[in-house]
Amino acid sequence: MARGDRAAFEELYRRTSPWLAVRLRRRCVDEQIVAEVMQETYLAVWRAAGAFAGAAVGGTATGWLWTIAARRLVDAFRRRAHHAEPPPAAAAPDAAPAAEEEALAATVGGDVGDALRCLAPELRQVLQAMVLDGLSVRETAVLLGLPEGTVKTRARRARIAMRRALA
């Protein structure tokens, strides 16, 4: 892709777009915003493919892609906020749970599911990014806009809370 190979870009899109769309829809129920963010994300990836440092800095292509998408989603929310309307995710608390939430509930039920639901939101966010999304500490820090040390601390606190809840 860094050399302008359209086939490589198409392959990346084919492999990652369903996953990325699910991740974005989990955070935003407005399909228009999700479509806009998807388009902006892949355009940014195409333009900056040569800048991806990859494993040399402890990152992955999917982590890089998600970081770009998450930033674009925040930008979209900020643009919408200037129009004095809250993002649909904030205005629609009765939205149906995402498919990923239902799948997680089906596989992580019982005591583990209860323990996850009892975690403080900031701990659950870190655990979700690192475990469910498979992001590294650095990628999680970028995604959540936190220092790496804070991510490590929250991950440790989440593990301790889960152990206590499951003991």
Side-chain angles (χ1 to χ4, degrees):
M1 257 181 41
R3 292 185 305 260
D5 184 350
R6 286 183 99 83
F9 177 76
E10 288 170 4
E11 183 66 15
L12 175 75
Y13 182 82
R14 186 187 64 76
R15 288 184 183 194
T16 60
S17 63
W19 167 83
L20 184 60
V22 166
R23 303 298 317 153
L24 290 169
R25 284 187 192 111
R26 189 162 190 264
R27 287 157 178 82
C28 176
V29 296
D30 186 334
E31 284 297 320
Q32 182 180 357
I33 291 176
V34 170
E36 182 181 303
V37 169
M38 291 277 293
Q39 184 176 15
E40 290 176 9
T41 298
Y42 283 103
L43 181 60
V45 166
W46 174 254
R47 288 179 176 163
F52 175 61
V57 294
T60 63
T62 54
W64 182 60
L65 183 69
W66 174 243
T67 300
I68 293 169
R71 287 179 178 165
R72 296 294 189 265
L73 184 60
V74 169
D75 291 345
F77 284 156
R78 285 182 183 149
R79 282 192 303 269
R80 300 288 169 146
H82 283 86
H83 293 48
E85 293 237 1
D94 297 338
E100 185 176 295
E101 287 284 340
E102 291 175 357
L104 180 62
T107 52
V108 183
D111 295 338
V112 175
D114 292 341
L116 280 171
R117 285 184 285 280
C118 290
L119 282 178
E122 66 272 9
L123 301 181
R124 194 176 324 116
Q125 274 184 326
V126 169
L127 199 60
Q128 175 185 333
M130 294 180 74
V131 176
L132 296 179
D133 296 342
L135 300 179
S136 69
V137 171
R138 174 175 284 153
E139 292 164 341
T140 301
V142 170
L143 171 66
L144 299 176
L146 299 169
E148 287 183 40
T150 302
V151 169
K152 290 177 186 178
T153 300
R154 288 182 182 178
R156 185 175 190 299
R157 287 177 50 208
R159 286 191 301 272
I160 290 169
M162 291 292 289
R163 277 191 210 114
R164 281 189 192 136
L166 296 172

